Amino acid sequence: MNDNFKDLREKMVKVQLISRGINDKKVLKAFLEIPREEFVPDNLKKYAYEDGPLSIGFGQTISQPYMVAAMTELLNLNSDEILLEIGAGSGYQAAIASKLCKYVYTIERIKELAEYARNNLERLGIDNVKVIVGDGSKGYPENAPYDKILYTAATPYIGDIIFDQLKDNGAIVAPIGDRFAQKLTKYVKTKNKIKEYSYFSCIFVPLIGEYGYK
């Protein structure tokens, strides 16, 4: 880890996360341990700890640190759980989750970004994440069911094809809405019934795929 960014990382956790109500100590610890600058292009490293998303190419972004933290806290990951992430991006969200759960499967539609995420994770020695190239809107039935599922791209809805890949008592966190505005939403599956909880408004890049946006 580049110690040149240590102070910025600590300030980001205090100012952007704790002051906005992120209080899960395991989540905060993960944000202190994972170097965000390793998941952004070289020319943007100096902006890695600013309070906003950054471009990672191909029309995609690495999300604002607070948004990553809020979604992670809502997931309430446990050390024995398997997470399916839909939208690998640069691998940052998967890296954070890797500190909190047993294993992460993350799917990325864009082959070049999947390779970028894979390289970033390998460089940091993170070995409990598998990056898959494919249509994330279909999930990843090969290793289903999952304890938790996380969408890191906006989707108009969650289809049965995804709910069927979720374990009983499992949860999904996703930005739900149209291409221009979404609501962060959590779904909890209990005895094959789904409860929905809505949180705050957000804006994510759209999930392109058979069960996403066309």
Side-chain angles (χ1 to χ4, degrees):
M1 185 181 293
N2 188 340
D3 284 341
N4 292 337
F5 290 93
K6 184 174 183 290
D7 289 345
L8 290 174
R9 194 174 304 113
E10 291 175 351
K11 181 180 179 183
M12 178 263 290
V13 168
K14 289 178 183 176
V15 175
Q16 297 180 39
L17 307 188
I18 295 173
S19 70
R20 288 175 174 156
I22 303 298
N23 54 33
D24 186 316
K25 290 182 179 178
K26 293 183 296 182
V27 172
L28 296 172
K29 185 171 183 284
F31 274 80
L32 287 171
E33 291 177 350
I34 296 296
R36 192 170 187 258
E37 73 274 8
E38 295 295 334
F39 294 87
V40 301
D42 288 345
N43 64 319
L44 297 179
K45 287 189 187 299
K46 61 185 176 181
Y47 305 115
Y49 293 97
E50 291 195 355
D51 187 15
L54 293 171
S55 172
I56 54 172
F58 305 94
Q60 306 299 302
T61 61
I62 178 173
S63 294
Q64 173 195 29
Y66 170 74
M67 189 61 68
V68 177
M71 296 178 82
T72 304
E73 191 170 68
L74 274 179
L75 273 178
N76 190 27
L77 290 166
N78 295 309
S79 59
D80 61 345
E81 291 183 331
I82 307 296
L83 170 69
L84 172 64
E85 181 193 25
I86 295 172
S90 67
Y92 181 63
Q93 173 73 75
I96 293 290
S98 76
K99 295 287 186 179
L100 302 167
C101 66
K102 184 177 180 180
Y103 204 85
V104 181
Y105 292 94
T106 182
I107 307 181
E108 176 55 55
R109 177 178 60 90
I110 300 166
K111 182 175 66 174
E112 293 86 350
L113 271 186
E115 187 62 24
Y116 179 55
R118 193 177 292 120
N119 290 339
N120 291 338
L121 293 160
E122 287 177 356
R123 188 173 61 252
L124 294 175
I126 296 171
D127 59 5
N128 62 334
V129 177
K130 181 176 182 179
V131 182
I132 301 126
V133 178
D135 180 356
S137 74
K138 297 179 181 179
Y140 189 56
E142 288 86 338
N143 284 90
Y146 303 96
D147 298 286
K148 305 284 171 66
I149 298 175
L150 175 64
Y151 280 70
T152 54
T155 184
Y157 66 99
I158 306 289
D160 288 342
I161 191 171
I162 300 297
F163 283 122
D164 288 346
Q165 295 176 45
L166 184 67
K167 288 183 182 179
D168 194 43
N169 297 317
I172 297 173
V173 172
I176 304 291
D178 60 33
R179 283 177 175 263
F180 307 105
Q182 304 91 41
K183 184 80 74 172
L184 191 61
T185 308
K186 182 174 182 176
Y187 301 89
V188 178
K189 180 179 182 180
T190 308
K191 296 180 179 177
N192 287 320
K193 292 184 178 179
I194 305 297
K195 279 193 173 182
E196 178 180 329
Y197 305 87
S198 284
Y199 296 91
F200 52 84
S201 297
C202 53
I203 301 175
F204 279 74
V205 295
L207 176 70
I208 307 298
E210 186 172 340
Y211 298 95
Y213 302 96
K214 304 303 179 187

